[in-house]
Amino acid sequence: MGAEQKVVTNRAKCTGCGRCVEVCPTGAIYAMEHKDEAVYFAHRDGIKTVAQVDEKLIPELEKVWKCEPGTVTKEQIAGSLKKIGIDQIVDAADGAALARAEAEQMLSVHLGKKPVILAQSLAAQKFVQKNWPELVDSFVFAPSAMEAFGHAAKAAFFPEAAQVKTYHVGPVGPDAAEAGESGCVDFAVNARELYRIMIRTGSEPNPKRTAAFAKLPA
């Protein structure tokens, strides 16, 4: 008889990083979508809406629209969102600046002490906490650009509003998983979902329909 063989399976537990959505070759795996709710709240009286647009979404949006690279601009996306009914629109660069400032402040606490690793991913935080809890003190878990935007947007634009819904419009990736788990924004909209919303509402990118970005306070 041959030597006994032992089969070992080592399946990593899901940490909600969303990478499977990015790498799935057939599109069979995709982020949960909320098209109906996203459009509903954009039109609902008495509810204010704020969206953050990440220009890294543009190549994916151009691909689903089957248009030439460089055809769509973030100002056109802002114009489309305005047509849908979004009240205020900001550039994701502002959210990133807020997140960077908070990360720097958190890192400053560790200056002159011991080396630390900066992580701005909820999935990374969960992974470390679950698999290497003894290393948690070696990490600084700072907010992502989406989280920083979500925390600041409501107070920045509509502090007196009874209800404010926040939208992060960005590329496929961990955003939807983080939004769904942490609730830092109400909707994380990727290119595929935005395309379907645009088709439904007649708000496709149009060079004659653009909008300026509001400034998210630093």
Side-chain angles (χ1 to χ4, degrees), residues 51-54 74 89-102 144-146 148-150 152 157 213-218:
Q52 170 178 259
V53 176
D54 188 337
K74 62 182 180 181
I89 303 166
V90 302
D91 194 323
D94 289 351
L98 288 178
R100 184 165 56 250
E102 189 164 345
S144 65
M146 181 174 67
F149 157 75
F157 296 110
F213 288 89
K215 191 66 178 176
L216 192 63

Side-chain angles (χ1 to χ4, degrees), residues 41-52:
F41 286 116
H43 287 101
R44 180 74 182 271
D45 289 338
I47 296 179
K48 297 298 184 179
T49 51
V50 186
Q52 170 178 259

Side-chain angles (χ1 to χ4, degrees), residues 19 28 38 57-58 66-67 87 97 110 117 130 136 140 154 198 209:
R19 300 300 179 190
L57 167 95
I58 293 176
K66 298 181 180 179
C67 58
D87 295 305
H110 298 271
I117 300 171
K130 181 181 294 184
V136 168
V140 170
K154 298 180 181 182
M198 288 174 167
R209 181 175 57 234

